[in-house]
Amino acid sequence: MDEPIIEGLDPPPPAPTGLNILVCIKQVPDSAQIRVHPVTNTIMRQGVPTIINPYDLFALEEAMRLRDEYGGQVTVLCMGPPMAEDALRRALGLGADRAVLITDRRFAGSDTLATSFALATALGKIAEERAIDIVFTGKQTIDGDTAQVGPGIARRMGLNQLTYVSAIDSLDMGRRSIVVRRRSEGGVQVLRSALPCLITMLEDSNVVRRGSIQDMLRAARAPVTIWSAEEAGVEDPLKCGLRGSPTVVKRVFAPSPREESAEMVTVEGKDPARIGDAIIDLIFARDPKLEVALTATAS
């Protein structure tokens, strides 16, 4: 016997399918115009043009590529000041589906430990809606260059971490496993990992797409979820910001320029052997002790 139809009730929404992918991005100052506060030794962001961390763009592209192939949703997550919403809208314009910004004055001055804590907490809250399959980050940021936040998130969330990934070879939705290529000092490692996992992508691992007109128009009016520390699930604000950051920058300085200029070697019309001899003669002329040491070693 068929069940009676109850008027006025909407049917339940369909269960989500495909991958649930999160991409952590950071809005960073343009590296050509970075200034450092003389007292706090933190980066001064006021009045400096900002961009999406370039390494994060490769992570975002790889996430969208997997979504396009296997279905699902790509959510971008950013921790930063309110103006970081601009970076999230740029990510939406490239094709991301959803954007979340966690912003709070208590996050200011966070080092990598405090940053990974806040992001992992927010990711945990997002995972309450639907389990996360993959978390993507860039290899590192151009303003910190530590490459610690991605692994820190993985450790806090208990995820397998695949760092310095140059390519994703395959993904098996049935077995819930992924095969990647990881660049190492000795060459390239091919690794298989179970999902969920966290992946940090290398530069030039893919070609970042141009956003479509439809995505750009959608990004301009799409809602961006904005959470304070409490709304992101941070129960102990002392673990965030400067108070939650054990790393202290003792001194920041720009390297002094070299006084001596480079010396040019004319190579036109010379064969490689003569060019090599000319360069060696210049090196020995600047460092006579090196010539004596090498001669003694050879004899």
Side-chain angles (χ1 to χ4, degrees):
M1 182 177 179
D2 295 337
E3 295 183 1
I5 298 177
I6 303 176
E7 298 291 342
L9 293 181
D10 295 329
T17 58
L19 295 165
N20 187 23
I21 305 175
L22 271 292
V23 183
C24 295
I25 69 170
K26 185 179 182 182
Q27 186 185 59
V28 296
D30 189 333
S31 59
Q33 303 186 49
I34 285 180
R35 296 178 298 161
V36 177
H37 194 283
V39 177
T40 63
N41 286 325
T42 58
I43 292 175
M44 299 172 62
R45 302 178 186 274
Q46 292 79 11
V48 179
T50 58
I51 58 175
I52 296 178
N53 178 52
Y55 295 112
D56 297 344
L57 291 174
F58 297 107
L60 177 60
E61 174 60 34
E62 200 65 24
M64 294 189 296
R65 187 186 69 81
L66 292 179
R67 176 205 59 192
D68 295 344
E69 184 172 354
Y70 298 96
Q73 176 179 259
V74 172
T75 301
V76 284
L77 171 65
C78 179
M79 184 185 90
M83 68 178 184
E85 183 179 337
D86 294 340
L88 289 171
R89 292 200 180 276
R90 292 174 205 164
L92 291 171
L94 291 173
D97 301 296
R98 181 188 175 195
V100 178
L101 171 65
I102 58 172
T103 182
D104 199 299
R105 287 184 178 275
R106 286 169 289 185
F107 293 152
S110 294
D111 68 357
T112 56
L113 188 71
T115 299
S116 64
F117 168 75
L119 289 173
T121 303
L123 287 167
K125 180 172 181 178
I126 294 172
E128 293 175 1
E129 304 172 7
R130 181 187 171 194
I132 297 173
D133 297 299
I134 305 175
V135 177
F136 276 100
T137 73
K139 175 188 72 172
Q140 62 195 59
T141 58
I142 61 172
D143 58 349
D145 279 335
T146 64
Q148 294 174 352
V149 172
I153 293 172
R155 177 64 181 86
R156 291 182 183 278
M157 298 186 69
L159 300 176
N160 294 335
Q161 56 176 295
L162 303 168
T163 57
Y164 300 102
V165 171
S166 59
I168 295 179
D169 285 347
S170 64
L171 188 150
D172 191 324
M173 294 286 286
R175 296 184 178 182
R176 291 189 56 75
S177 65
I178 191 169
V179 177
V180 304
R181 297 184 191 181
R182 179 184 187 273
R183 192 182 302 168
S184 65
E185 293 182 0
V188 177
Q189 300 172 336
V190 180
L191 305 175
R192 183 190 303 274
S193 170
L195 301 181
C197 66
L198 180 141
I199 298 173
T200 72
M201 295 299 300
L202 286 176
E203 68 279 10
D204 299 325
S205 52
N206 51 46
V207 178
V208 180
R209 69 188 68 184
R210 288 179 174 269
S212 66
I213 296 297
Q214 292 82 359
D215 284 328
M216 292 180 183
L217 293 174
R218 177 178 61 87
R221 58 178 181 270
V224 173
T225 301
I226 300 177
W227 287 338
S228 64
E230 289 82 3
E231 291 168 331
V234 177
E235 297 180 355
D236 187 358
L238 293 179
K239 293 183 178 180
C240 300
L242 288 173
R243 291 187 177 183
S245 301
T247 305
V248 177
V249 179
K250 183 177 180 181
R251 181 168 170 247
V252 176
F253 61 94
S256 56
R258 294 183 177 180
E259 296 180 357
E260 53 186 335
S261 59
E263 189 166 346
M264 302 296 294
V265 177
T266 304
V267 299
E268 185 176 356
K270 295 182 180 179
D271 60 69
R274 290 189 176 183
I275 295 172
D277 291 340
I279 294 174
I280 292 174
D281 290 340
L282 286 173
I283 294 174
F284 286 163
R286 290 199 173 196
D287 190 356
K289 293 182 179 180
L290 178 62
E291 182 177 11
V292 173
L294 290 176
T295 303
T297 302
S299 60

